[in-house]
């Protein structure tokens, strides 16, 4: 119970610090993502199991959902016109330059989330398989400890980036 409470309070504190006072609205999404990603990453520690996040499809589904969700929340929170105006940048004269840059930046986000998680978790799984083949009992133990740390770190990075994207989408700055 204490570990679960620590997990919940940690997610809520991160949301409050990254997104701000509106952060509590996104707790369910971020906590669910964190829980699912952490346990999906850790499944690779079980012998003969591959982490679900070592598959591009799982990561792409999570990343595309986050992408669509923060776009929706940005439009819902600010309105379509104000949200689209955000892509034009602070000065109207720079809009022809800023719009393509912002669009490419936003489209690259799901790709970045997908490939970062896939590469790290798939690499860990491959290294663990190789170590298990070389010396099955003692050599993989340090790697397994490193995998636990890395699984937590990759989960943290994914949810932190998701929160930052949400914070940028719902920010109500005037340009």
């Amino acid at each position: 119970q204490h570990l679960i409470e620590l997990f919940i309070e940690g997610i809520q504190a991160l949301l409050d610090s990254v997104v701000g006072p509106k952060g509590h609205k996104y707790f369910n999404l971020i906590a669910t993502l964190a829980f699912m990603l952490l346990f999906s990453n850790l499944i690779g520690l079980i012998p003969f199991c591959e982490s679900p996040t070592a598959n591009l499809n799982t990561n792409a589904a999570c990343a595309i959902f986050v992408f669509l969700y923060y776009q929706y929340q940005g439009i819902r929170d600010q309105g379509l016109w104000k949200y689209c105006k955000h892509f034009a940048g602070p000065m109207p004269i720079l809009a022809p330059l800023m719009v393509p840059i912002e669009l490419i930046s936003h489209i690259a986000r799901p790709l970045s989330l997908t490939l970062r998680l896939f590469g790290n978790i798939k690499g860990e799984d491959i290294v663990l398989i190789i170590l298990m083949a070389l010396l099955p009992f003692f050599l993989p133990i340090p790697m397994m400890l490193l995998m636990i740390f890395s699984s937590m770190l990759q989960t943290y990075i994914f949810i932190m980036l998701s929160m930052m994207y949400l914070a940028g989408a719902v920010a109500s700055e005037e340009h």
Side-chain angles (χ1 to χ4, degrees), residues 11 14-15 18-19 30 159-168:
I11 297 287
L14 276 173
L15 275 166
V18 174
V19 180
I30 299 299
I159 65 166
M160 181 58 79
L161 288 172
S162 299
M163 288 186 286
M164 290 173 62
Y165 299 156
L166 268 168

Side-chain angles (χ1 to χ4, degrees), residues 2 5 11 15 29 35 45 51 84 89 96 101 115-116 122 129 131 156:
H2 290 291
E5 287 175 7
I11 297 287
L15 275 166
L29 169 74
F35 188 75
L45 291 170
S51 301
C84 289
I101 291 171
L115 294 178
R116 180 182 297 112
K122 184 70 170 180
I129 289 169
L131 290 176
Y156 176 79

Side-chain angles (χ1 to χ4, degrees), residues 136-156:
F137 296 110
F138 299 110
L139 191 60
I141 292 173
M143 183 59 192
M144 288 177 145
L145 295 173
L146 185 62
M147 283 179 68
I148 292 170
F149 173 73
S150 179
S151 295
M152 290 189 290
L153 181 65
Q154 291 306 315
T155 301
Y156 176 79

Side-chain angles (χ1 to χ4, degrees), residues 37 41 52-64 110 113-119 121 158:
L37 289 173
N41 293 345
T53 49
N55 183 332
L56 275 173
N57 297 320
T58 304
N59 302 337
C62 291
I64 291 169
L113 285 173
T114 300
L115 294 178
R116 180 182 297 112
L117 185 59
F118 168 75
I121 301 303
F158 195 98

Side-chain angles (χ1 to χ4, degrees), residues 37-97:
L37 289 173
L38 180 63
F39 285 102
S40 293
N41 293 345
L42 292 173
I43 285 175
L45 291 170
I46 300 170
F48 307 109
C49 290
E50 184 180 23
S51 301
T53 49
N55 183 332
L56 275 173
N57 297 320
T58 304
N59 302 337
C62 291
I64 291 169
F65 179 77
V66 166
F67 174 77
L68 294 174
Y69 186 78
Y70 84 76
Q71 298 292 340
Y72 170 75
Q73 289 299 326
I75 293 169
R76 186 171 155 239
D77 196 57
Q78 298 182 32
L80 181 61
W81 176 250
K82 190 175 178 184
Y83 185 70
C84 289
K85 201 170 130 181
H86 174 74
F87 287 90
M91 296 171 45
I93 196 162
L94 292 176
L97 178 64

Side-chain angles (χ1 to χ4, degrees), residues 12-26 163 167 170:
Q12 190 62 52
L14 276 173
L15 275 166
D16 290 341
S17 67
V18 174
V19 180
K22 298 178 187 177
H24 69 278
K25 294 190 322 189
Y26 312 114
M163 288 186 286
V170 299

Side-chain angles (χ1 to χ4, degrees), residues 95-134:
L97 178 64
M98 292 300 293
V99 170
I101 291 171
E102 284 290 325
L103 288 176
I104 290 169
S105 168
H106 279 261
I107 291 169
R109 289 176 179 181
L111 183 64
S112 170
L113 285 173
T114 300
L115 294 178
R116 180 182 297 112
L117 185 59
F118 168 75
N120 286 307
I121 301 303
K122 184 70 170 180
E124 289 175 358
D125 285 354
I126 290 171
V127 168
L128 188 62
I129 289 169
I130 291 169
L131 290 176
M132 290 286 258
L134 292 175

